[in-house]
Amino acid sequence: MLQCLLPRPLLLDRSCPARRIGIHRFCGASRIVIVAWCLLGLANAFADDAAKTQFPSPYDTQAEEVPLLTPEQARQSIKVPAGFEVSLFAAEPDVQQPIAMATDERGRLWVAENYTYAESAVDYDLKLRDRIVILDDTDHDGTFDQRTVFWDQGVRLTSIEVGFGGVWALCAPHLLFIPDANRDDVPDGPPVVVLDGWNGDEIRHNIVNGLHWGPDGWLYGRHGITATSLVGIPGTQAEQRARMDCGVWRYHPTHKKFEVVCRGTTNPWGMDWDDHGQLFFINTVIGHLWHVVPGAYLQRMFGEHVDADLFELIGQTADHFHWDTTEAWSDIRKLGVTKTTDQAGGGHAHCGMMIYLGNQWPAKYRGQLVTANLHGRRLNVDRLERDGATYTGRHEPDLLTSSDPWFRCIELCYGPDGGVYLADWSDIGECHENDGVHRGSGRIYKLSYGDQGRGGDPLVGKDLSKLSDRELVDLQRHPNDWFVRQSRRLLQERSLAAADFSPTHQALEQLFERTAGDVPRQLRALWSLHVTGGLNEARLLTLLNHPSEHVRTWAIQLLVDDGTVSPAAQQAFERLAQEESSGLVLTFLASSLQRMAHDQRWTLASRLSTRAEFSQDRVFPLMIWYGIEPAVVEQPAEAVNLIAVAQVPKVREFVARRITSEIDRQPQAVDALVELLQRPDAHESRQDILNGMTVALRGWRQATPPDSWQAVAQKLAMDPSEQVRRTVRELALVFGDGRAMEQLREIAASGAADL
């Protein structure tokens, strides 16, 4: 009777009540009740289907000049190393336009479908919406078997993340929170606008994107270069909003604070944290790989940073490019990948990135950075190495290639069994969709290694929210970082409602002590303590003496996590700046300068500037400079004193340049700078000071000379360095009323100088 009443599609649906309970086991009255129950479910399903018909039907505007492969044909076009296999996790019509993914504590895959990406406001207001769907693989065979539409009223939906009783969704101009406290996959109410001001009306790409929970408990995101946003909590006045274009930002889910983490690049669209909690992100057109140091100013594709006096920007982290840099990036985009670009890695456009910390793939892949190369239709791999004061990315062989011209991997992430999901946007044509969009396609593949992980871990398929606090603490030791991250977030959520969380804090402290020597696991315990409120300043100060540079680095970050530096922390930082041997720790100390009041930065900056062993590093000197630049004009005397002790040439030059640029308003400061040139101990810094002064005055026809200039210039005309003498002559042309140059000519005529 049941089979007559219920259509086959419903019986095949694992959510069908009849399938869940096994109707064949019942008879008589019980069976009648069950049939009635199923009929009610059927009615609800029909009602749901009717509601879904209200979702605007996506339409295609992309001409199919190249035949669209079937999902299975597309899967077969993918080539991977021996031992790996690719399954088709989902495909159209079950998933279309998959622009972002996230996972929840049940191991389910949440997918953001974006249909409004390339349309004007008029078009998407009338015809299109975006949606969030949940895909679940209950039998762990690499293919989903349950699908739920969670929300279908999005516009410009670029990213999602799950946590804190709901779902976070980026829909420019808003960061939304969609509540679902009872976790029934039905929103409890309309979305709440958490942040607004994201610019979404002027652009169709390089838009705000990339929600991910950081190990510090903040929600991180990214922003592209083509428009500027003024971000704040709804109602915030314009002058109090954060101005941002390209870079990385973060928002705290409970403290309600927003801040820009670093600025620069082009269109970051992929990021992840390594085993030591260092954040890296991927980019397009210019360098592809970037390491995040808070407060860093990174190179831009075009335009200027808000601060006009940065003088130099930090370059990419990788030591290579994935394209032939003698070719125009726009030609690669429009004309295709040449042989030389193919050999280099496939092209300049990267979209989606992860650092693999799962436990299914071979050990050599752990910690490797994997990113999707859009035009190369492949996955590039970089090896992250500690180098100097930070990191360098080294080129590794590609992991995956596809011969399908529609293959456009846009995001990737790993799940509880260690397998990796690849979201394929599945389209052809110009990457900005200027020539149309094929909305009716989309695939999600799963890249696994053999049979490992498929149900082998008893926790795979479990709802981690059902575990006790102690069990969640124990998961901080799990070899798959997916469990580590999910359990840390759950602990953070629980700590908010707990009257007494001290037993969990004690367990985390014990974990930290028991894992001495295992730095990644100690860091996991540390991060969990922080996000649950289990760390105080005194404890963090003791960790500045920890044997691991990574623990010391994180102690610094957590001590300034609220945006301030206490007197005790500042004193500890100043001491550490003299004693520290790690360039990474010193770089994050330099980063902390931007958390201090301007007049409090000089002692730490001066001590950092004496660390000559890292003076040629590509990041460390610039982080010192970014930290003191705003204070130089406010306190030029302190800036001159710093030059006198600094052993980092770039810091000396940039401080001198900034002081000299204010010569009309602060001539006394420039005079003090010139006096410094003739000090007996200034022979190492003299050229750096002169270089800074020369660059600051380049293009000036004439400037009023400092009071001491003539005497100093005469003395420097006798300097043994020809470069010093040449730079003095160049400055004399700007300062000259004829007297300084005449004196130099007399010296030259006597043979004392080589003019």
Side-chain angles (χ1 to χ4, degrees):
M1 183 174 71
L2 180 65
Q3 291 180 353
C4 297
L5 291 171
L6 298 182
R8 179 173 174 80
L10 188 59
L11 284 173
L12 292 177
D13 188 342
R14 293 178 186 269
S15 63
C16 173
R19 177 158 185 171
R20 289 206 308 268
I21 64 174
I23 187 66
H24 62 279
R25 293 178 298 172
F26 298 87
C27 61
S30 297
R31 192 166 181 173
I32 293 173
V33 171
I34 293 170
V35 169
W37 179 34
C38 292
L39 285 173
L40 179 60
L42 178 61
N44 290 335
F46 288 155
D48 288 345
D49 287 341
K52 290 175 185 177
T53 61
Q54 300 175 10
F55 184 74
S57 179
Y59 54 88
D60 295 336
T61 56
Q62 172 72 60
E64 291 189 26
E65 299 173 354
V66 179
L68 174 64
L69 299 182
T70 67
E72 178 57 24
Q73 289 173 330
R75 185 194 68 81
Q76 292 179 10
S77 75
I78 297 174
K79 305 301 180 185
V80 292
F84 283 93
E85 58 182 49
V86 179
S87 63
L88 183 66
F89 184 78
E92 69 274 358
D94 296 307
V95 64
Q96 299 172 141
Q97 299 286 273
I99 198 169
M101 300 183 293
T103 56
D104 64 12
E105 62 272 14
R106 290 178 251 185
R108 302 180 303 172
L109 189 69
W110 293 64
V111 182
E113 295 184 336
N114 184 302
Y115 301 98
T116 64
Y117 175 77
E119 299 302 325
S120 67
V122 173
D123 287 330
Y124 64 61
D125 279 348
L126 296 177
K127 305 175 185 176
L128 295 169
R129 284 291 183 271
D130 302 329
R131 65 186 170 195
I132 301 171
V133 299
I134 310 169
L135 302 177
D136 194 5
D137 176 12
T138 61
D139 57 7
H140 315 298
D141 65 350
T143 301
F144 92 97
D145 42 52
Q146 288 188 2
R147 176 180 180 272
T148 304
V149 176
F150 175 75
W151 184 63
D152 63 2
Q153 295 300 306
V155 172
R156 293 193 178 276
L157 173 65
T158 61
S159 184
I160 54 174
E161 186 57 280
V162 181
F164 295 86
V167 178
W168 306 75
L170 273 172
C171 295
H174 302 133
L175 170 61
L176 302 175
F177 177 74
I178 308 171
D180 182 20
N182 60 4
R183 302 169 69 244
D184 65 352
D185 302 332
V186 177
D188 297 340
V192 177
V193 178
V194 176
L195 295 172
D196 60 16
W198 300 112
N199 194 321
D201 292 334
E202 299 176 8
I203 54 176
R204 297 192 301 178
H205 59 281
N206 293 351
I207 198 171
V208 62
N209 69 94
L211 297 178
H212 286 290
W213 295 115
D216 51 13
W218 291 64
L219 184 63
Y220 281 72
R222 307 177 295 263
H223 197 295
I225 198 172
T226 54
T228 300
S229 296
L230 294 176
V231 186
I233 295 172
T236 303
Q237 297 299 311
E239 61 273 12
Q240 296 176 314
R241 289 177 173 268
R243 183 181 180 88
M244 178 173 199
D245 53 8
C246 48
V248 175
W249 53 271
R250 67 177 188 168
Y251 172 79
H252 199 281
T254 58
H255 300 162
K256 313 299 183 185
K257 294 176 62 176
F258 172 87
E259 65 180 29
V260 178
V261 179
C262 68
R263 300 177 185 271
T265 70
T266 307
N267 186 25
W269 202 287
M271 67 184 178
D272 203 356
W273 288 261
D274 73 359
D275 229 355
H276 295 124
Q278 292 298 316
L279 176 58
F280 298 82
F281 69 89
I282 214 71
N283 183 57
T284 63
V285 181
I286 58 175
H288 66 278
L289 175 60
W290 304 81
H291 173 226
V292 174
V293 178
Y297 289 90
L298 310 175
Q299 289 179 1
R300 300 170 58 103
M301 178 185 173
F302 57 81
E304 300 292 335
H305 285 292
V306 176
D307 189 336
D309 297 306
L310 298 173
F311 301 156
E312 186 178 328
L313 305 177
I314 296 172
Q316 77 152 334
T317 302
D319 65 355
H320 60 283
F321 292 85
H322 289 145
W323 55 296
D324 184 343
T325 56
T326 65
E327 300 173 352
W329 67 271
S330 55
D331 286 344
I332 296 173
R333 186 185 74 188
K334 296 176 181 178
L335 303 178
V337 176
T338 64
K339 181 178 180 180
T340 52
T341 286
D342 181 69
Q343 292 172 342
H348 64 276
H350 303 82
C351 202
M353 185 266 271
M354 71 168 184
I355 297 173
Y356 187 72
L357 295 176
N359 61 337
Q360 184 196 106
W361 289 7
K364 71 175 184 178
Y365 289 102
R366 186 174 181 86
Q368 301 278 56
L369 184 148
V370 184
T371 181
N373 191 298
L374 208 64
H375 297 114
R377 301 199 300 271
R378 70 193 66 185
L379 296 183
N380 297 137
V381 180
D382 277 8
R383 182 179 73 258
L384 301 172
E385 292 184 355
R386 276 283 288 112
D387 184 25
T390 53
Y391 290 81
T392 295
R394 314 288 187 189
H395 198 182
E396 289 285 309
D398 295 334
L399 177 62
L400 173 153
T401 58
S402 171
S403 59
D404 176 12
W406 289 73
F407 182 76
R408 189 177 291 173
C409 183
I410 200 168
E411 184 64 283
L412 59 164
C413 66
Y414 56 93
D417 66 359
V420 174
Y421 298 102
L422 311 178
D424 178 6
W425 181 261
S426 190
D427 204 344
I428 54 176
E430 204 274 328
C431 67
H432 296 155
E433 312 296 5
N434 292 331
D435 58 354
V437 186
H438 195 277
R439 296 185 178 86
S441 55
R443 289 87 191 262
I444 295 177
Y445 305 103
K446 190 171 184 182
L447 180 59
S448 304
Y449 189 79
D451 293 327
Q452 298 179 41
R454 292 191 179 176
D457 189 327
L459 287 172
V460 172
K462 299 291 186 181
D463 184 349
L464 301 189
S465 70
K466 304 298 184 182
L467 301 182
S468 68
D469 292 353
R470 184 53 188 257
E471 288 172 315
L472 294 179
V473 169
D474 291 341
L475 280 181
Q476 295 305 300
R477 306 182 68 165
H478 200 283
N480 182 352
D481 212 55
W482 183 89
F483 288 98
V484 176
R485 299 183 188 197
Q486 293 287 344
S487 58
R488 180 171 60 239
R489 175 180 58 79
L490 290 171
L491 287 170
Q492 183 178 1
E493 294 175 8
R494 292 182 185 184
S495 69
L496 300 173
D500 181 12
F501 217 58
S502 58
T504 302
H505 292 154
Q506 292 171 6
L508 288 167
E509 281 284 3
Q510 291 170 1
L511 175 62
F512 183 88
E513 297 301 329
R514 287 200 309 267
T515 55
D518 187 341
V519 174
R521 282 172 172 77
Q522 283 202 300
L523 287 170
R524 294 171 180 182
L526 184 66
W527 297 327
S528 294
L529 281 165
H530 171 71
V531 302
T532 59
L535 285 177
N536 57 33
E537 183 179 71
R539 178 70 173 115
L540 287 170
L541 289 173
T542 66
L543 295 178
L544 294 176
N545 300 314
H546 193 277
S548 168
E549 64 172 348
H550 298 292
V551 174
R552 298 196 301 276
T553 294
W554 267 102
I556 295 167
Q557 292 187 80
L558 298 181
L559 281 164
V560 303
D561 191 59
D562 66 352
T564 62
V565 182
S566 73
Q570 182 165 337
Q571 292 178 8
F573 289 175
E574 291 167 359
R575 172 191 58 78
L576 192 60
Q578 292 178 303
E579 303 170 357
E580 180 58 57
S581 60
S582 165
L584 186 66
V585 176
L586 292 171
T587 297
F588 276 81
L589 282 174
S591 170
S592 75
L593 288 167
Q594 298 182 47
R595 301 292 203 178
M596 302 177 184
H598 291 180
D599 61 353
Q600 297 296 312
R601 301 182 182 187
W602 294 109
T603 300
L604 177 57
S606 296
R607 292 181 179 179
L608 290 170
S609 297
T610 65
R611 303 306 301 267
E613 65 268 41
F614 296 104
S615 64
Q616 301 304 312
D617 188 82
R618 63 182 185 82
V619 177
F620 175 65
L622 290 175
M623 290 306 302
I624 298 174
W625 167 241
Y626 300 152
I628 60 175
E629 184 275 323
V632 169
V633 175
E634 295 178 8
Q635 297 176 300
E638 294 286 356
V640 172
N641 291 338
L642 182 142
I643 293 178
V645 301
Q647 298 179 46
V648 180
K650 192 165 289 185
V651 171
R652 295 189 298 231
E653 177 180 336
F654 286 175
V655 173
R657 178 177 171 181
R658 187 70 183 93
I659 290 173
T660 306
S661 69
E662 300 290 326
I663 189 170
D664 285 345
R665 289 183 287 273
Q666 296 181 334
Q668 301 90 344
V670 182
D671 194 56
L673 197 62
V674 171
E675 290 283 355
L676 189 61
L677 288 169
Q678 61 182 342
R679 284 177 45 167
D681 59 351
H683 61 280
E684 291 187 0
S685 61
R686 187 170 293 137
Q687 187 61 59
D688 300 322
I689 297 171
L690 289 169
N691 288 345
M693 295 178 66
T694 302
V695 173
L697 296 175
R698 191 160 289 159
W700 288 48
R701 297 188 63 181
Q702 187 171 358
T704 302
D707 293 341
S708 58
W709 171 252
Q710 291 188 30
V712 173
Q714 185 172 357
K715 179 179 292 186
L716 294 184
M718 308 282 291
D719 194 274
S721 168
E722 192 277 333
Q723 187 178 5
V724 168
R725 299 195 302 271
R726 186 189 313 115
T727 312
V728 168
R729 293 196 297 271
E730 186 174 345
L731 282 169
L733 291 174
V734 181
F735 288 143
D737 57 357
R739 289 175 293 177
M741 287 303 299
E742 184 60 32
Q743 290 173 346
L744 291 175
R745 291 191 186 96
E746 292 174 359
I747 294 171
S750 69
D754 180 17
L755 291 177

